[in-house]
Amino acid sequence: MANRDDVLSDFIVEEEISPEVLGTYLRRHPEYTKDLLALFNELTMSELEATDASLPFETKAMTAEALRVQHVRQSLFGHGIKDLARELGLPRTFFLGLNTNVVHLGSVPVEFLKNLPAKLDVRLHDLINGMQQGDGQTVAMKSDNKPGAEAPIEFRDYVGQADLAEEEQRALRKLLADDGSN
């Protein structure tokens, strides 16, 4: 059995600290799993902090915006959709279609565009950018025609096709309600 300190020292001096290298060490030395994971986390966090410190201010601002847009995309189309759907009382499938390939952005009610960013804790601009990027794929809709480059549909038509239950319709009305702020 290898010495803990020797294993950790060898890990530190690896040419590249990557998840693949970590996996190799974890398979070889499962008895040091906690130590290796802690060291990997510390090394990668230090690397991120050093990279962030060296970025010019403009790049940091662009990175922050990109992260907010990524948050929108993950919340509407990715792993965060389950939590968002549960919190807002709407089906996950409803959010999957909220990209500009499916729904015409100009038809989305202003109240919805004001309330949804507040729920996601992002700016309206970030929500719109996230909707424009979508999930990278369009949502399948039942159709009598062959698939093609279809024009986005109006929001009210999308809602009509969503086949929402009464409780889900009430939840959507909450998002469409004007909260009185401008």
Side-chain angles (χ1 to χ4, degrees):
M1 177 173 5
N3 177 334
R4 174 189 172 274
D5 292 335
D6 290 341
V7 171
L8 297 179
S9 294
D10 289 346
F11 183 71
I12 288 174
V13 297
E14 281 289 334
E15 190 172 314
E16 178 187 359
I17 302 295
S18 68
E20 292 78 23
V21 172
L22 174 64
T24 302
Y25 273 78
L26 291 174
R27 283 187 293 282
R28 256 191 260 152
H29 308 285
E31 66 275 15
Y32 302 128
T33 296
K34 287 175 81 173
D35 295 320
L36 286 166
L37 288 172
L39 182 58
F40 178 77
N41 186 45
E42 184 179 324
L43 292 172
T44 54
M45 291 306 290
S46 297
E47 187 177 311
L48 285 174
E49 289 169 2
T51 302
D52 188 48
S54 68
L55 290 174
F57 180 73
E58 294 82 15
T59 304
K60 288 180 186 177
M62 286 175 41
T63 302
E65 180 179 355
L67 288 173
R68 290 190 310 268
V69 171
Q70 181 65 24
H71 170 68
V72 169
R73 293 183 67 215
Q74 289 299 321
S75 296
L76 292 178
F77 315 118
H79 63 80
I81 193 169
K82 185 176 181 179
D83 294 333
L84 179 67
R86 187 179 321 115
E87 177 186 339
L88 297 180
L90 289 164
R92 288 184 242 179
T93 54
F94 179 80
F95 293 106
L96 290 173
L98 288 180
N99 68 66
T100 55
N101 294 330
V102 176
V103 176
H104 179 248
L105 187 59
S107 71
V108 179
V110 172
E111 292 79 12
F112 185 85
L113 290 174
K114 285 176 20 186
N115 292 331
L116 190 55
K119 298 290 185 188
L120 295 172
D121 195 27
V122 295
R123 300 174 183 157
L124 174 59
H125 177 74
D126 299 327
L127 174 71
I128 290 171
N129 282 342
M131 289 172 69
Q132 288 174 331
Q133 292 178 12
D135 66 349
Q137 51 186 286
T138 57
V139 173
M141 297 269 190
K142 291 183 180 178
S143 174
D144 294 332
N145 303 328
K146 289 186 177 184
E150 298 290 324
I153 64 175
E154 298 298 302
F155 182 80
R156 71 179 176 316
D157 294 334
Y158 178 72
V159 170
Q161 292 178 7
D163 195 28
L164 300 174
E166 184 61 38
E167 185 177 309
E168 294 166 340
Q169 290 177 18
R170 280 193 297 275
L172 180 59
R173 282 193 293 271
K174 284 183 186 176
L175 276 175
L176 292 169
D178 187 358
D179 64 359
S181 65
N182 287 324

